[in-house]
Amino acid sequence: MTEKKVLKIFKHAGSFAENKDVARNLRETFVFPELKNNGNITLDYEGVDTTTQSFTHALISEAIRKYGVDVLDRITFKHCNDDVKKIINIVVEYMQGNMDSPIS
Amino acid sequence: MEIYIPNSAFLGNINGFLEKIDLSNPESLKITANQKWVSIHPLVLCLIGALGKNIQNKNIHCDTLLAPSAHYLKRMKLFDFIGVTPNIKNITEHEAVGRFIPLTQVKNSNDLDLFLKDLVPLLHFSDNKKHVQSIQHIFSELIRNVIEHSSSSNGAIVCSQYFKKSNKISIGVVDTGIGLKKSLQASYKVEDDKEAIRLALTPGVTGTTSRPGGTAQNAGFGLFLIKSIAFIGGDFFNIISGNQMYKLLQRKNASLKLNGNPFDDRHSMAQVPFWSGVAVGVDISLDKTIQFSSLLDQIYGFYSKEVKGQKKARYKKPKFK
């Protein structure tokens, strides 16, 4: 079984994870390279009180678009409080709803 | 340019203030005010601050302010912000922490990081914890919009006020950039400012691409989220760009159904003096606003029913551990 690489979100984005520039950097330096190599990743939200849909979108949406929804089988979201879970769910739902036609 | 500060200009009755703005002669600014009372929304303060920011001090004239409440303008740092020293009677300074954020310029992502850290003291009153996330989200989304889309060297001009009597937080975020129409025209065919506002408030629309779902960096979701926070709380949400203002009116019925099309919400449109950038004002009534967590449930429900229901696609769930 492939070892999962862990990304500690708090370490990079703090307790209010909203900085999209940080998300872009994490996407480019961790999320994409690991997924490109068929790796499995864990996004660890320990210490994160809340995040924004914009941050989450910047972090994972392109991976869903690029590798398809099955990429979600290779991403684990860990230590998420209820609100963080809800925001991740919204972004995942949003991306899957927008992969072939716009919302009207 | 000339601005008259009336005795009252909040999101519900801001039209009178806007109608009297004279934007001719942009190299100078004259400010006059009601002599008996001055009470204005942070959005109005931001608009005045934005107009005065690019004008040389010597070309800004402010009449003597006689209204006892005019000290509010000084407390919100309006005159420091535009670099003038008006004659104000009866100044009473108030403690800054816990009540308001004075006019502040946020030019880049680093400024925003600092601003969001300083924001927390504003929210340090007894029963506000459940609302902190809503306020943080609103500022984060609005200011990042300015930084990413406005092309304005001035960045975002912001301020906020907590009103104890109504238990409400009012927020203003303004820029003097290219505006919604020009920003969206990069990816969409946009005929006029009204259409630009409709598109900007529609989830899934961003000026960075016409591709469904946005780009890796932009979802086209932020303004819809903010409007939804105001809608669910039954509060005002105003957005001005070009010669149009959209005003989300207070809800009259109990239905909390979110609409993808902002024109399906109870709203008004008004023609206003041309604003080159984007100006947004939001009220958050703390008595009425539901917890942020419940708002997220509403939005998730919106996508589940309105989007997934239409597409019947194979949906996957994120894995939580």
Side-chain angles (χ1 to χ4, degrees):
Chain A
M1 186 176 171
T2 312
E3 185 187 353
K4 285 190 178 182
K5 297 283 180 62
V6 179
L7 177 67
K8 300 269 191 184
I9 303 294
F10 176 82
K11 181 181 171 188
H12 301 276
S15 60
F16 177 32
E18 67 80 41
N19 191 326
K20 291 166 70 180
D21 297 332
V22 170
R24 176 187 4 225
N25 185 48
L26 296 175
R27 177 180 80 226
E28 300 296 340
T29 61
F30 179 84
V31 175
F32 268 18
E34 292 299 330
L35 295 176
K36 188 180 176 184
N37 292 329
N38 291 317
N40 295 311
I41 62 173
T42 295
L43 303 178
D44 188 338
Y45 283 77
E46 186 171 20
V48 175
D49 294 332
T50 187
T51 185
T52 63
Q53 65 80 27
S54 292
F55 178 92
T56 309
H57 178 91
L59 187 64
I60 64 169
S61 67
E62 197 64 8
I64 297 171
R65 192 196 300 276
K66 194 168 183 177
Y67 298 108
V69 291
D70 288 340
V71 79
L72 291 168
D73 293 332
R74 296 195 282 133
I75 305 174
T76 301
F77 300 90
K78 193 176 177 184
H79 294 132
C80 300
N81 65 31
D82 286 347
D83 286 348
V84 170
K85 281 183 185 175
K86 287 177 184 180
I87 288 167
I88 292 169
N89 273 321
I90 287 169
V91 171
V92 167
E93 197 85 359
Y94 177 81
M95 282 313 297
Q96 294 185 76
N98 277 285
M99 296 218 328
D100 18 72
S101 68
I103 297 166
S104 59
Chain B
M1 297 187 287
E2 289 189 26
I3 292 171
Y4 173 72
I5 304 174
N7 63 336
S8 172
F10 289 85
L11 297 184
N13 65 350
I14 196 173
N15 301 53
F17 164 77
L18 294 171
E19 286 163 7
K20 287 185 179 170
I21 292 179
D22 178 359
L23 295 177
S24 60
N25 302 317
E27 68 282 356
S28 67
L29 177 63
K30 182 182 180 186
I31 301 173
T32 56
N34 186 290
Q35 297 297 306
K36 292 183 178 175
W37 191 257
V38 169
S39 187
I40 58 176
H41 191 276
L43 171 60
V44 175
L45 273 164
C46 290
L47 289 167
I48 300 170
L51 287 177
K53 195 63 182 169
N54 288 334
I55 297 175
Q56 288 187 330
N57 304 2
K58 65 179 182 181
N59 292 334
I60 300 178
H61 172 77
C62 187
D63 274 2
T64 298
L65 300 172
L66 296 172
S69 52
H71 66 80
Y72 174 70
L73 306 177
K74 182 174 172 61
R75 194 178 65 165
M76 295 298 280
K77 307 290 185 193
L78 172 63
F79 304 112
D80 293 341
F81 196 78
I82 60 177
V84 296
T85 310
N87 186 12
I88 307 177
K89 306 291 184 186
N90 304 318
I91 294 173
T92 307
E93 294 286 356
H94 290 251
E95 185 189 0
V97 173
R99 294 188 180 176
F100 63 92
I101 296 173
L103 274 169
T104 305
Q105 193 168 18
V106 183
K107 285 188 167 185
N108 52 46
S109 195
N110 289 336
D111 286 354
L112 177 56
D113 284 345
L114 294 172
F115 177 81
L116 291 171
K117 283 180 183 133
D118 289 343
L119 180 65
V120 176
L122 170 74
L123 309 171
H124 275 183
F125 38 87
S126 58
D127 60 348
N128 71 340
K129 283 184 180 174
K130 69 178 182 179
H131 301 294
V132 169
Q133 287 177 300
S134 295
I135 308 299
Q136 284 178 320
H137 271 75
I138 289 170
F139 274 113
S140 170
E141 298 286 358
L142 287 178
I143 296 172
R144 285 209 177 276
N145 273 353
V146 174
I147 293 169
E148 293 175 10
H149 303 298
S150 75
S151 303
S152 169
S153 57
N154 275 334
I157 293 162
V158 308
C159 70
S160 182
Q161 172 74 48
Y162 169 66
F163 294 96
K164 188 175 181 182
K165 191 174 178 182
S166 53
N167 197 23
K168 177 177 72 180
I169 288 179
S170 295
I171 290 168
V173 176
V174 166
D175 72 71
T176 53
I178 60 174
L180 293 174
K181 184 178 157 191
K182 194 169 180 183
S183 175
L184 288 163
Q185 278 177 334
S187 304
Y188 290 86
K189 187 181 176 187
V190 187
E191 296 287 343
D192 53 31
D193 293 312
K194 183 178 178 183
E195 175 65 2
I197 288 175
R198 187 190 71 79
L199 283 169
L201 294 175
T202 301
V205 174
T206 169
T208 52
T209 182
S210 58
R211 187 175 69 166
T215 64
Q217 202 65 8
N218 292 105
F221 189 86
L223 284 172
F224 170 75
L225 176 73
I226 295 162
K227 180 174 73 72
S228 299
I229 292 172
F231 170 79
I232 287 176
D235 291 310
F236 284 112
F237 165 88
N238 292 18
I239 182 165
I240 299 166
S241 190
N243 64 8
Q244 292 289 316
M245 175 173 69
Y246 172 95
K247 187 190 296 180
L248 178 73
L249 301 172
Q250 292 167 312
R251 267 190 302 109
K252 280 198 166 175
N253 58 41
S255 171
L256 293 177
K257 181 180 177 293
L258 301 179
N259 292 308
N261 182 348
F263 292 166
D264 289 341
D265 292 319
R266 188 169 175 266
H267 75 286
S268 69
M269 293 296 301
Q271 188 149 351
V272 296
F274 188 84
W275 188 263
S276 67
V278 182
V280 177
V282 192
D283 288 338
I284 304 295
S285 295
L286 304 186
D287 289 338
K288 293 188 286 183
T289 301
I290 61 172
Q291 291 199 21
F292 190 69
S293 186
S294 302
L295 172 72
L296 297 176
D297 289 335
Q298 295 274 351
I299 292 172
Y300 184 75
F302 168 79
Y303 278 109
S304 295
K305 289 175 187 168
E306 303 293 324
V307 183
K308 189 166 70 177
Q310 294 170 7
K311 298 169 97 46
K312 297 176 182 173
R314 183 172 67 97
Y315 275 62
K316 273 189 174 286
K317 299 280 186 188
K319 278 193 302 181
F320 295 108
K321 189 173 180 182

